[in-house]
Amino acid sequence: PDRLAGLPRELLEDAVLANLDVKNLAAMAAVSRAARRAASSDAAWRPQYARRFGAADDASEHFDFGASLRESFRQRLGDPAPGDRVEIAWRGRFRLEGLEVYRGLAWWAAEVVEKRDAAAAAAAAPDCPLDDRRARKYKVHYVHWDARWDEWVARDQLRWPVPEGRTGVVASGDDVEVWCSGSAVPGAWLRAVVTAVEGELYCVGDVASSGRLWVRRDRVRLIQRKQDRAPRAPKRLQPCRMLFALARATTAAVRARLASH
């Protein structure tokens, strides 16, 4: 592994580092000291930054002056900058065209157009709770929507676009997102769970006003497989329910003892 130190710089940067993704860079950094230095260098992170955000030359405009590209990458993931494409969460009912009404958690394509610090966010909405005012620091524009729909949102309302997962096997019980759109109205990705599969059709439950919605594979992107989902913790009984269950068990035990005599 330490032979990396003997490679020509151009070969290391162009043939090795430029072709690694973030996970591979992290794995490379654990191999040796020389590998860690190479995997942490700006040369290694310039392609990562460019692929995710665009040109790396603007990193110092948004983040700590003098920070490495690796640190700028980390900061920007947690704190998007104006111009970044994101997706905004909205839960409720919505209609795009026609009479079909969708309901649930939907993610809408947007772009960050302005950002303010916590103090400015708090001063902008004096009638809102302080924590809520401080959180709404990103002004977003919904892609292909009129500017009158622009709004300020909190960090926990936005995420980076999800890589397309429209290939591969999707099975019953998998968590997915369903593309909902109209012919002239921009759409959104609606969170759902596959409840049945019949050939090339997938049932994603009662997420539409018409009832159970069946869609083709090209309208579904996989988010998480059923077997990868964290097991749910068992529900804890409320005190009154616990007492009722204990009393019922005690009564059954007494009746069983009386019946045996």
Side-chain angles (χ1 to χ4, degrees):
D2 288 331
R3 294 177 182 175
L4 287 173
L7 288 177
R9 180 177 177 180
E10 294 77 9
L11 178 62
L12 178 62
E13 294 179 359
D14 298 337
V16 179
L17 300 179
N19 295 299
L20 298 180
D21 58 18
V22 174
K23 290 183 178 180
N24 287 329
L25 283 176
M28 178 179 172
V31 172
S32 68
R33 292 182 180 179
R36 183 166 61 252
R37 286 194 298 270
S40 302
S41 67
D42 281 358
W45 285 89
R46 188 173 299 279
Q48 309 300 330
Y49 195 97
R51 281 194 287 266
R52 168 69 77 165
F53 309 117
D57 297 333
D58 67 345
S60 60
E61 298 179 7
H62 305 294
F63 306 104
D64 296 340
F65 178 77
S68 65
L69 282 179
R70 177 186 179 186
E71 176 61 18
S72 296
F73 184 94
R74 185 192 67 80
Q75 290 181 24
R76 193 160 180 174
L77 278 182
D79 188 13
D84 287 341
R85 285 292 182 97
V86 294
E87 292 178 347
I88 307 299
W90 188 86
R91 183 183 293 276
R93 297 172 181 266
F94 61 94
R95 185 174 64 186
L96 298 172
E97 287 179 344
L99 300 178
E100 188 76 282
V101 177
Y102 300 100
R103 55 178 176 265
L105 175 63
W107 293 91
W108 301 79
E111 179 179 331
V112 178
V113 295
E114 189 178 343
K115 187 169 69 172
R116 57 192 178 190
D117 57 25
D127 297 331
C128 295
L130 183 59
D131 289 343
D132 184 59
R133 282 184 279 151
R134 287 174 175 170
R136 295 182 181 276
K137 58 181 297 186
Y138 303 96
K139 185 177 183 179
V140 297
H141 169 72
Y142 293 97
V143 179
H144 302 308
W145 288 87
D146 192 89
R148 65 191 177 92
W149 295 103
D150 292 1
E151 62 176 339
W152 290 91
V153 299
R155 177 64 180 89
D156 60 4
Q157 291 176 258
L158 61 85
R159 72 179 183 186
W160 294 100
V162 175
E164 292 293 328
R166 301 199 204 188
T167 60
V169 177
V170 174
S172 179
D174 289 347
D175 292 326
V176 297
E177 288 176 352
V178 183
W179 179 244
C180 305
S181 68
S183 59
V185 179
W189 288 99
L190 180 64
R191 194 66 181 262
V193 177
V194 175
T195 59
V197 179
E198 293 185 3
E200 298 182 355
L201 295 178
Y202 298 80
C203 180
V204 291
D206 299 325
V207 296
S209 57
S210 58
R212 296 176 53 178
L213 181 64
W214 289 84
V215 297
R216 292 189 172 276
R217 181 65 180 88
D218 59 1
R219 284 186 59 187
V220 176
R221 67 181 182 188
L222 179 65
I223 299 300
Q224 187 178 49
R225 298 192 183 281
K226 178 181 179 180
Q227 60 267 27
D228 298 332
R229 192 183 304 143
R232 294 184 179 179
K235 294 183 179 179
R236 298 181 61 181
L237 296 176
Q238 298 296 326
C240 58
R241 295 180 61 191
M242 292 176 62
L243 292 175
F244 179 76
L246 179 60
R248 186 168 56 183
T250 303
T251 301
V254 171
R255 288 178 177 175
R257 176 169 295 185
L258 293 175
S260 63
H261 289 291

